[in-house]
Structures are given as structure tokens and as C-alpha cells.
Amino acid sequence: MSALQVTALTCEYRTNPIGIGVTAPRFSWQLSSEARGTLQKGYRLVVAGADGDFASPLWDTGFVETEQSIQVDYEGPAVQSRTRYSYRVKAWDQSGRESDWSEEAWWETGLLDNGEWNAKWISAPAGAESEGACLLRKGFALKEGIASARIYATAAGVYEVYANGRRVSDELLAPGWTSYKSRLQVQTYDVTELLRTGGNAVGILLGTGWYQGMGFDNRNYRYGERRAALLQLHVNYEDGSESVIATDSTWQTSAGPIAYASIYHGESYDARLEQTGWSETGFDDGKWAAAEPVDLPFAHLVAQENVPMRVTETIRPVAYFVTPAGDHVLDMGQNMVGRVRMSVNAPAGTRIVIRHAEVLDKDGNIYFGNLRPAKQTLTYVAKGEGTETYAPSFTFMGFRYIRVEGYPGGTLPLDAFAGEVIHSDMEPTGEFECSDERVNKLQSNIRWGQRGNFVDVPTDCPQRDERLGWTGDAQVFIGTALYNFQGGPFFTKWLRDLKAEQHPDGGVPFVVPDVVGGASSAAWGDAAVICPWTVYEYYGDRRLLAEQYDSMKAWVEYIRAQGENEYSWDTGFHFGDWLGLDAKENSYIGATPTALIATAYFAYSTRIVRDAARILGKAEDAARYDELQRQVLKAFQAEFVTQTGRMAAPTQTAHVLALLFDLVEDKVRARVASDLNDLIADNDYHLTTGFVGTPYLCFALSNNGYHDTAMRLLLQESYPGWLYSVSKGATTIWEHWDSIKPDGSFWSDDMNSFNHYAYGAIGNWMYRKVAGLDMDAAAPAFKKIRIEPLFGTQAMKHARTAHQSMYGRIESGWVVSGERIEVNVTIPANATAEVVLKGATLGGLTEDGRELASAAGITSSAEANGSVRLTVGSGTYRFAYRNADMFRVAYTEKMRLSDLLSAETTTDVLKKHLPHLFEGAMLNFMSNNTLKQISENAMARVSREAMNAVLEDLARLR
Ligand code: RAM
């Protein structure tokens, strides 16, 4: 028997985290086992206190009989502030195997009680604050025997800490951006290795960041008048004693080389003003001024919740050229977000100016038009002492191209420049790859879009004067986002900000953190409900759901209170199907009535609140919201569905919402789906959807028997469609379907981002439907997995996806060659899956080359509706079969011949060879003289011979 092991221990989603503010953190682990079908029977978790001694543990769960291996709450004695705890886990499986103890893991608490702050907020003297960054420093002596040292720090602004001349961490743009008036994150840094017996010094570089300065639409950030830093260093000695160094008026301050710094405009750096050794001991700060205490609150300080921002990749420019306008430009080869690092050897006083842009215009000139007032500019003045290297500290840019002026020597050496990619450093968890390189590029663009816009908050775009936490964008993309990256901490933090910014009446601002104001829009405010729910689905995060529950409910109650009618929402301003292509001339708002969208989301959010209430054991609420949802559905149907069962609004998005949010009765559903399919076919297989319809469009088709149409949309290369931008060389997702128009011109300057993740929401469908890795919503976090790849009629020959779930790595992939299909599946231990193999028969199916009956790990199998359904346990499986359905595939492909035939002729041919299709209501293929898809059920009953006869006749008649 192979060994059972407990691996990948995490606390609050992290491996060995430091600075955890939660007093009852949650533990998760994975089981590793070669035996198929492994389930955890029980576990034992032991926590050791600060002494690290497992022999006399702080908390020992003993054997707990449960399958739960994720999000296990700490329930031991109260944890202490600023203390490290170790833990380890062992597990038993259902066949009686016992694992060894896992490797030891640990977490360390942050500064838990704001009463522990001795430090004062400090700043440069009033009036002496520059627009750049100031330096703050303190020298001090430490006695011998340093055991450990931690810095707890934050800023009203943005900051970096140095100790004895070195940065204490590679984290960037700390403390990140929260709703500063209610919450400000404190960072914890382990500085044990940087300190020494005797003289030491600590320095803080303090800028403004999101705290003050230029912002969207001239609504400047102004959280406070004075920026300030707060820092407390705790040094613990081997003898048990402690020294504390804290910011106060004994610190010294001075201006530094950063003369100007702004998130949007960039940075000006004069290397001649560097003060060598400023954060080292022995530096002469005699000319510096005393730091000034600033009166800022402590009550809103919270331990860091999000993962930090870091440089996660460095890319090199791929080309240097001079544009027709004469600009010297470097191409990074990728639209990226972060900063440039430059090295230069230049005489003192040489001024180099770098401007950043996303695209070149159709003449090949660098294009700054879409940045609006954001300058995205670096100005560097050389000090003239050999090779100098510079990268800005307190800004980030969205760019693929940089224009460099003033670089000595006339040309730009590629190796003197690098692009440092910066974002919240989330663990990558998703992969997707298929036989169509264009789709692979789309997947790459989706990931880059996420990286560039997950810069501490989920932003709409990373380049122009906006970069805001638009709620609608986050809501439509979160399903894709959490597949591709571990976003638990990221969304936990952002949702707490959303809750903090929520209006007393339950309204949700357009952006979070809110620097824009404004009322609430449907599909934007619904982020309050959809995002915590999605985090729950992906990670089983019940605590976040419980924390956000009141906020979720308040949003639904807000909607209920709008207008006259309790059960629909037909008042107020809405963004509607934002940027939908069916919008009126000069409007951004698509043609789908905003009241339809608002009422649809009302129903959807109410349903989620009902489900959340059920999970949280709130029976009364569950009943209440169940009833509310029923009423909203009725109202929706009365207003937006005709008596004969059609959607009154003839837009793609109206149909999509009705199908995806289950807003129509079952008997109407098929009609709505077929109408949607017609709308798309009539539009020559092009979409018209905006922010609201796009994420769900292909799901609505695939879930209702029109996967082929969904695939045609995906693979559509002509405008508009996902591959249009790919065909135009995009390396990220665009804000508009035609950010660059077919003739090479741009959408207007006023709102044209080339890095907007919203339409990247198609990823979710690619992973779940094309590659077939889906979840069973009844068991969150992929405890129950659903594998059901849908092979279309299109040219795709293989597709595979993987997701690193809380239970471990899940894989689903398929290869089609002729009629032969191979489906490869990996299910992690302690999870199970339902596998649906389309077109397979029990008799014709093998696993790893053997009959099904002899395969381990398969607990049930059945054949129905032209598919085989299996229940499988953990393990890796290789299923193979001849797809009876493939001939349906060939059939559907060939049937396009019939596009040229009249409906009567086609009907006659079909009647002759396939009379049974005309019995009952199985046929839904005639409209506009075009032969449409025949329902899958009907097709399953078509013999190969009959179909060949149909095809031959059709070909002949043509
Ligand atoms: C723009 C942004 C954002 C969108 C809002 C409504 O400012 O593009 O993506 O959510 O409009």
C-alpha cells in the first residue's frame, strides 16, 4: 500500500505567514496518496506555542473524524500578539491508513492590539513636505544576543523601510490601498538578519501614493492633509528581554532624491540628491530636521490582509526603433503593468525622460491619447558616477512601449532597460491550453489582464487617470480570476473595504475604495453579493461569507426599497450592458433595458443571499429570500417575457440573463435558448454584448444545447469577438471590442483602455465548458468536481486545463483524433468527481487501456442521453472511446451546405430519411431559410446510414 501524506499546509491561505491579524486562523492541508479513491477519514492537528514544543502543545485536536481538510478553525487558547506558533497535521484515510506527521508549518501573529502602539505618526515638518518622498531615519544601539526582530509599520501614504542600508522586504507600494478612512493595513517585516549588536539605523522613505494627489476625473485623492509614517521595531533578545524602537519626534527627516511621485503621473528622481548611507548607522543627519508628530488615528489599523505587491517577473525589451515622428521607442513585446528599470552611464545632470504608452497608432507613432491626464512619466537626472541604475518606487504604469528622451549616445541599448511586472503576488492556480494558438494567446491575454489589474485592488485599467476598483468589472471577472490565481486574501481585503464603503441604506458605490461617489448601479453593486459567494464557491470560505452576509443582505434590501414596485428595479441610473454594441449612437449603454438588467440581478442576488442564508444556518432568512426571489421572478416574467414565451427585449444580453439566472420557466427556456441562437446566427455569428452579457453569453449557449454556436463565437476572428483583438496583435484584453478598429484607427481617446479585464471573463467558460473542469456548487472548493468537456464541431483537436484547488491539482483534458476521444482527468485526494463523457457508451469505454469494470477508483457508472456518467475518486484517469457523437459532429459541419437550400427542400430531405425527427416537438431548426441545429436528443437517435443519406441528398440538390 502506498503512503498517505499530509502536505501543503497553509494558514489563512498562506504558507508560513507572518503578521496574521486573525485570532482564530484557519488551516488547510492536502493529502497525497497514490491509491485511487482516497478520502480523509479524520485528522489530528497540533499547535505548539512560542516554545515550538509539540510534546506539550498549546492545542491538540485529538482524532477528529471528518473529511474536512480545508478551512479548519483554530479553537485553542487565545493567541498572543506578535508570537509565532507551529502546527502539524496527521490524517487517516477511509481504508485505515495513517499518515506520518506532516512537516512543521507555522504562522506568526501580527500586532494584534492597537493599544500596543507606542509609536507616533511622524512626518516632515508642516510646510516642508515636498511633492516627492521624504526620508525619515533613526540611529540606535542594540545589545548583544538578538534572537529575533520585527518591524510593524504603515503609512498614511506609501512607504519603504530600510535597515542598515538595505530594504527590509521586496514588498512594493505598501500599505496598499484600502478604504483609508476606516481601514489601514499594517505590514510586518522580519528584520532579524539585518540588525546587529551595536549601532543600527532604520530609515523610511515616505511618499503619497493613493493617500493624496491626482485621481480620476479631477477628483483628487485627499484622505488627509498630512502624510505620515508609523513604525515600531521590536527586538527580542536571547535572555528574554526586549527593546522597542518607535517613530517619534527623535527621528530626523530630510528631502531625498524623489522630487515628485504620483501613482498616475510617475516619478521625478534626481540622483544628485541621493544621500548615501542615509539609513545606515554613522550617517551624519545633523542637517536634517526633527520629524514632526502628526495626529492620526490608530483605531483603524488592521494587520495586512492581502498578499503584498511585488515584482513577479522581469521582461526585456524586444525591439528598439525610431518612429516616423522621430521618437526613440522601446517595445517590451507585452502590454504590462509595473515599472521600468534603467541603467545608464551619463554625465552628472543628464536628464532622461521616459513616457509610457500601450500602443502605437496606425502610422507607427507612440500613442498617449488614451491616458487622459495621467502622465505616466519618469524623469531621471544622472549623478554622473559610472553606471547608475534606477527604478521608481511609488508609481506604476500600464505600458508596452516607452519613449526615451535624453539617453546618452543616440540609440537605446536593449540591455539597459527592463520591465518589472508588478501586481499583488497571488499564487498562479490556473492553466489552459488547446490546439488553437489564437485561443492560447487569448488565455495569455486574460492572465496578463488580471496581473495588470490586480494591483492591490481589482482595477478596471492600469494606465489612464482611473485605475479604480470598479465593482462591476470585479464582479464579472471574479469567476475567471479565482480560477487563474489564488485570490482568497485579495478579495477578503477588498470585500471588507466594500463593506466599509457601503452606504447606510445598503447602496454600494461604483468603485471601492470609493473616491468617486455616486449612487448604486445594478450589476455593479451586485459585486457585494456575487464576490463573497464566488470566494465561497472556490475556497469554501464560510467565514468571509458570514462576515459579508449583512452587506449582501443590505444590498438586496437596498434594491427592494428602490422605486414603487418592491419586486422589480426600474428606477435610477444604471450602467446597463455597458459598452454593448447594440447601444444607440453616442451611448455607452447597450440596448438591453436597464430595468431588465436591474431586475434580473435583483433575482440573482436574492437567490445567492438565500443560498448563503441556508449555508450559514439562517433558516428564517432563507425562507424570506426564497419568497422574495419567487416574487421577483414573477415580476420579471410579467414585465419582460411575453405571454407566448419570448423575451420582449430582442437583445442577446436579455436572453443570456434569462437563461443564466434561471429567470424563465422550464417550458420557455428552450424557446429563449433557440431565439438566442437565432439572434447570433442572424448576426453572422457575432456577439453584441457588453459588460453584463459577455461573461455569460457562451455559458447560456453551451448549457442549453448550443455549444457549437458558443464555439463559433469564441473562434470568430472578425470583429466583434474575442479573437478579433488577438488578430490585431493584442497582448492583453481591451476595454472595447474595437479599441483598435479594422482600419487601424482607435476608438475615441476619451475611454479606450488596452488593458481591461472585463471581457476576459470568457476564461471561466473556456475552463469549465471547453476543457470541462467544473465544480459541483453543492460542495464548495471543488470537494466535488464535475468533469464534462464539450467537444464541438469546430476544428479544436485538444484542450486541457488544470486548477490548483484547495484540495490539490485538478486536471481535465481531451484529445480528439477522428472518432477517437481520449479524456484525461486528475482528481486530488479527498475530493471526488462526476465525469460525464459525451458520446461514450459503457461497452466502448476504456480506462488506461482496460475495460471500465477493472479500473480502480470508479464508484458508479451509468449510460444516459448519449453520455456515460461516472463517479470517481481521487487519482489520474485516462478514458478512451469512439465517439458515437462524432458523427453528429460531421453531420452538423456538413449541414452548412444546406444554408444554400430552401427550408422546404431541406425539410423534404430530412423527412424522407429521418421521419422520427418530425414526431413531437423535437425539431427546432427552421428559420430564415437556414437549417439550424437539431436538438441533441433527436440526434442521438439518428443512425449513421440515415445521416449519410441526408448528406448525400443535400449535396446533390445543392
Ligand atoms: C469606466 C470603466 C469601468 C466601468 C465604468 C462603468 O469608467 O471603464 O470599466 O466599470 O466605466
Side-chain angles (χ1 to χ4, degrees):
M1 220 192 262
S2 56
L4 177 70
Q5 278 178 300
V6 177
T7 61
L9 273 62
T10 55
C11 171
E12 290 298 314
Y13 294 106
R14 284 161 257 218
T15 307
N16 300 339
I18 174 172
I20 291 291
V22 189
T23 50
R26 295 157 306 170
F27 308 104
S28 302
W29 56 90
Q30 295 174 9
L31 297 183
S32 120
S33 156
E34 261 140 47
R36 281 187 177 176
T38 298
L39 286 173
Q40 178 181 286
K41 179 163 191 283
Y43 70 81
R44 180 174 164 202
L45 186 148
V46 181
V47 174
D51 56 6
D53 183 3
F54 284 105
S56 51
L58 189 69
W59 187 50
D60 183 345
T61 64
F63 175 77
V64 182
E65 187 169 349
T66 175
E67 282 186 21
Q68 187 181 3
S69 58
I70 65 166
Q71 312 283 20
V72 172
D73 289 316
Y74 173 78
E75 285 171 357
V79 294
Q80 307 293 308
S81 184
R82 300 181 288 105
T83 305
R84 182 171 292 196
Y85 297 91
S86 306
Y87 65 105
R88 60 185 192 178
V89 179
K90 70 160 51 194
W92 289 258
D93 74 4
Q94 82 294 10
S95 60
R97 291 185 300 170
E98 177 179 342
S99 76
D100 284 337
W101 282 110
S102 67
E103 279 182 17
E104 265 178 55
W106 52 262
W107 87 97
E108 189 177 301
T109 54
L111 192 151
L112 293 181
D113 177 356
N114 285 329
E116 290 178 80
W117 286 101
N118 302 323
K120 304 264 182 304
W121 286 100
I122 57 167
S123 187
E129 282 173 327
S130 75
E131 286 188 285
C134 67
L135 311 175
L136 293 151
R137 66 164 264 121
K138 167 92 183 170
F140 52 90
L142 295 175
K143 66 179 189 188
E144 217 180 298
I146 300 169
S148 72
R150 298 286 182 273
I151 283 176
Y152 305 91
T154 188
V158 62
Y159 77 102
E160 290 178 351
V161 180
Y162 296 76
N164 294 328
R166 285 167 56 195
R167 278 212 60 193
V168 300
S169 113
D170 56 2
E171 301 176 17
L172 296 171
L173 296 164
W177 188 18
T178 43
S179 169
Y180 290 145
K181 55 187 190 310
S182 19
R183 295 158 28 75
L184 180 60
Q185 296 186 117
V186 172
Q187 288 68 46
T188 304
Y189 307 109
D190 182 350
V191 291
T192 314
E193 299 301 321
L194 297 178
L195 302 183
R196 56 193 170 223
T197 308
N200 288 272
V202 169
I204 304 172
L205 183 61
L206 176 64
T208 51
W210 294 276
Y211 192 73
Q212 274 176 358
M214 179 269 182
F216 176 52
D217 208 13
N218 289 326
R219 287 175 241 210
N220 286 351
Y221 297 131
R222 193 146 301 284
Y223 287 97
E225 289 307 315
R226 300 282 303 274
R227 84 186 89 141
L230 182 73
L231 179 149
Q232 199 156 295
L233 163 64
H234 288 254
V235 183
N236 294 307
Y237 296 95
E238 278 147 13
D239 64 9
S241 61
E242 187 190 58
S243 316
V244 178
I245 313 291
T247 44
D248 60 19
S249 52
T250 67
W251 286 54
Q252 295 289 102
T253 182
S254 161
I258 300 178
Y260 179 84
S262 140
I263 297 283
Y264 298 86
H265 289 329
E267 201 169 280
S268 301
Y269 188 98
D270 189 340
R272 295 170 305 183
L273 303 179
E274 284 173 359
Q275 306 203 37
T276 308
W278 70 277
S279 66
E280 288 172 50
T281 181
F283 175 80
D284 177 11
D285 59 15
K287 294 211 182 76
W288 288 31
E292 210 169 85
V294 177
D295 190 18
L296 285 173
F298 288 82
H300 67 325
L301 299 178
V302 296
Q304 168 101 9
E305 294 164 349
N306 196 2
V307 295
M309 287 163 277
R310 289 197 180 94
V311 171
T312 61
E313 185 179 349
T314 299
I315 59 181
R316 291 278 168 192
V318 295
Y320 159 63
F321 52 88
V322 180
T323 66
D327 288 328
H328 293 248
V329 169
L330 289 173
D331 176 4
M332 303 307 303
Q334 171 65 50
N335 194 17
M336 58 162 279
V337 174
R339 64 185 181 189
V340 162
R341 180 172 293 277
M342 167 186 76
S343 47
V344 65
N345 204 317
T350 306
R351 221 175 116 86
I352 300 162
V353 179
I354 306 178
R355 276 198 79 183
H356 303 64
E358 296 188 287
V359 286
L360 303 178
D361 68 16
K362 66 173 191 288
D363 304 321
N365 288 314
I366 191 162
Y367 171 71
F368 300 111
N370 68 327
L371 302 178
R372 303 198 306 219
K375 295 201 179 83
Q376 293 213 129
T377 301
L378 300 176
T379 305
Y380 180 80
V381 180
K383 61 185 170 198
E385 294 167 12
T387 302
E388 305 168 31
T389 302
Y390 165 71
S393 296
F394 296 140
T395 185
F396 65 89
M397 328 276 192
F399 65 102
R400 171 171 170 174
Y401 300 94
I402 54 173
R403 181 183 80 186
V404 185
E405 293 170 302
Y407 196 87
T411 63
L412 303 177
L414 295 189
D415 60 0
F417 294 85
E420 296 187 338
V421 178
I422 297 173
H423 53 88
S424 293
D425 191 7
M426 305 162 294
E427 183 203 338
T429 52
E431 296 160 30
F432 175 90
E433 189 266 329
C434 70
S435 56
D436 191 320
E437 280 312 319
R438 300 168 307 166
V439 177
N440 294 337
K441 186 66 187 171
L442 174 65
Q443 165 65 6
S444 162
N445 295 357
I446 292 169
R447 290 184 89 253
W448 276 101
Q450 177 165 359
R451 295 171 78 190
N453 283 296
F454 276 50
V455 182
D456 210 40
V457 298
T459 59
D460 60 328
C461 61
Q463 73 297 84
R464 66 182 180 221
D465 63 331
E466 196 154 352
R467 314 184 188 187
L468 299 177
W470 281 94
T471 47
D473 305 43
Q475 175 272 108
V476 302
F477 189 64
I478 186 172
T480 302
L482 298 188
Y483 193 93
N484 279 323
F485 289 90
Q486 193 351 295
F490 184 92
F491 275 101
T492 299
K493 163 189 167 269
W494 187 70
L495 283 167
R496 287 179 182 163
D497 286 316
L498 183 149
K499 188 168 149 182
E501 301 274 22
Q502 198 164 7
H503 306 158
D505 64 0
V508 175
F510 296 151
V511 300
V512 172
D514 186 12
V515 286
V516 165
S520 305
S521 163
W524 269 249
D526 292 278
V529 174
I530 293 168
C531 294
W533 181 250
T534 311
V535 174
Y536 171 74
E537 285 186 322
Y538 268 91
Y539 309 131
D541 196 330
R542 205 166 179 274
R543 187 186 69 199
L544 185 67
L545 198 63
E547 260 183 43
Q548 296 297 126
Y549 181 73
D550 288 342
S551 152
M552 298 165 73
K553 207 168 122 174
W555 169 247
V556 165
E557 291 302 332
Y558 169 84
I559 302 174
R560 191 211 282 258
Q562 300 309 299
E564 302 274 285
N565 185 337
E566 196 181 339
Y567 303 124
S568 60
W569 190 5
D570 51 11
T571 54
F573 167 79
H574 297 281
F575 293 111
D577 191 18
W578 188 244
L579 307 186
L581 295 172
D582 45 13
K584 288 202 195 94
E585 196 62 25
N586 294 325
S587 169
Y588 288 146
I589 300 182
T592 308
T594 55
L596 184 153
I597 294 173
T599 307
Y601 268 95
F602 185 10
Y604 184 51
S605 279
T606 304
R607 185 173 90 189
I608 294 176
V609 171
R610 176 201 68 190
D611 292 347
R614 285 182 184 156
I615 281 154
L616 298 172
K618 298 174 189 289
E620 248 173 61
D621 273 10
R624 190 154 166 264
Y625 289 104
D626 191 48
E627 179 53 25
L628 177 59
Q629 197 237 3
R630 249 187 262 277
Q631 298 297 339
V632 177
L633 282 184
K634 260 202 221 155
F636 181 89
Q637 289 165 5
E639 185 70 19
F640 303 112
V641 185
T642 68
Q643 284 193 342
T644 52
R646 315 187 61 148
M647 294 305 296
T651 66
Q652 293 180 10
T653 293
H655 289 72
V656 165
L657 293 182
L659 292 167
L660 244 283
F661 294 172
D662 288 321
L663 304 178
V664 289
E665 286 169 9
D666 282 349
K667 57 180 195 294
V668 177
R669 183 173 256 283
R671 172 99 187 250
V672 174
S674 127
D675 287 350
L676 172 62
N677 191 56
D678 285 351
L679 284 172
I680 291 163
D682 293 349
N683 202 29
D684 197 20
Y685 294 92
H686 289 92
L687 49 74
T688 57
T689 49
F691 275 37
V692 164
T694 301
Y696 306 123
L697 174 60
C698 286
F699 277 113
L701 291 163
S702 298
N703 291 351
N704 291 284
Y706 297 98
H707 184 65
D708 288 346
T709 303
M711 285 299 283
R712 283 181 84 160
L713 284 177
L714 173 70
L715 300 180
Q716 180 61 263
E717 213 180 284
S718 65
Y719 167 80
W722 288 276
L723 295 190
Y724 169 71
S725 63
V726 170
S727 78
K728 287 279 177 189
T731 59
T732 36
I733 303 290
W734 297 345
E735 180 170 20
H736 299 270
W737 292 113
D738 57 347
S739 283
I740 299 176
K741 295 177 190 279
D743 70 2
S745 64
F746 293 132
W747 218 88
S748 102
D749 274 4
D750 76 356
M751 203 181 81
N752 194 12
S753 152
F754 292 92
N755 197 354
H756 232 71
Y757 55 56
Y759 292 156
I762 187 64
N764 202 15
W765 171 83
M766 286 163 27
Y767 318 140
R768 292 179 195 228
K769 297 297 167 185
V770 178
L773 196 170
D774 208 344
M775 56 173 74
D776 180 336
F782 297 94
K783 175 84 169 112
K784 280 199 183 124
I785 298 158
R786 201 182 148 79
I787 304 283
E788 183 177 6
L790 299 176
F791 327 102
T793 59
Q794 308 288 331
M796 206 175 265
K797 293 285 174 273
H798 72 258
R800 53 162 285 274
T801 191
H803 175 70
Q804 187 64 44
S805 73
M806 299 287 284
Y807 291 95
R809 186 177 168 89
I810 314 168
E811 294 177 356
S812 171
W814 53 267
V815 185
V816 175
S817 40
E819 288 185 0
R820 200 186 128 83
I821 295 206
E822 191 176 301
V823 176
N824 295 294
V825 175
T826 296
I827 305 302
N830 207 23
T832 59
E834 182 178 22
V835 179
V836 181
L837 300 170
K838 284 214 154 285
T841 56
L842 277 175
L845 181 63
T846 61
E847 195 285 302
D848 205 18
R850 284 166 308 178
E851 326 186 310
L852 213 55
S854 60
I858 302 176
T859 50
S860 81
S861 58
E863 200 180 305
N865 299 326
S867 299
V868 164
R869 251 160 226 276
L870 308 171
T871 314
V872 308
S874 64
T876 292
Y877 302 84
R878 188 166 60 92
F879 299 107
Y881 57 101
R882 290 199 172 280
N883 188 1
D885 220 38
M886 279 318 278
F887 121 86
R888 178 187 79 87
V889 167
Y891 160 74
T892 318
E893 276 290 293
K894 297 244 182 69
M895 282 312 249
R896 303 230 174 87
L897 289 173
S898 66
D899 287 358
L900 299 169
L901 297 175
S902 74
E904 292 85 67
T905 314
T906 312
T907 310
D908 285 348
V909 172
L910 288 169
K911 268 196 178 144
K912 182 169 134 205
H913 298 290
L914 303 167
H916 75 273
L917 288 186
F918 292 82
E919 294 154 13
M922 283 204 266
L923 195 64
N924 60 26
F925 58 78
M926 291 303 168
S927 87
N928 303 341
N929 275 355
T930 305
L931 184 67
K932 294 292 192 288
Q933 220 170 355
I934 294 175
S935 81
E936 294 196 6
N937 274 347
M939 287 315 305
R941 298 167 48 205
V942 173
S943 75
R944 184 177 309 242
E945 292 69 33
M947 191 49 61
N948 286 337
V950 170
L951 293 172
E952 271 162 32
D953 271 13
L954 287 176
R956 193 166 42 79
L957 288 168
R958 215 190 112 193

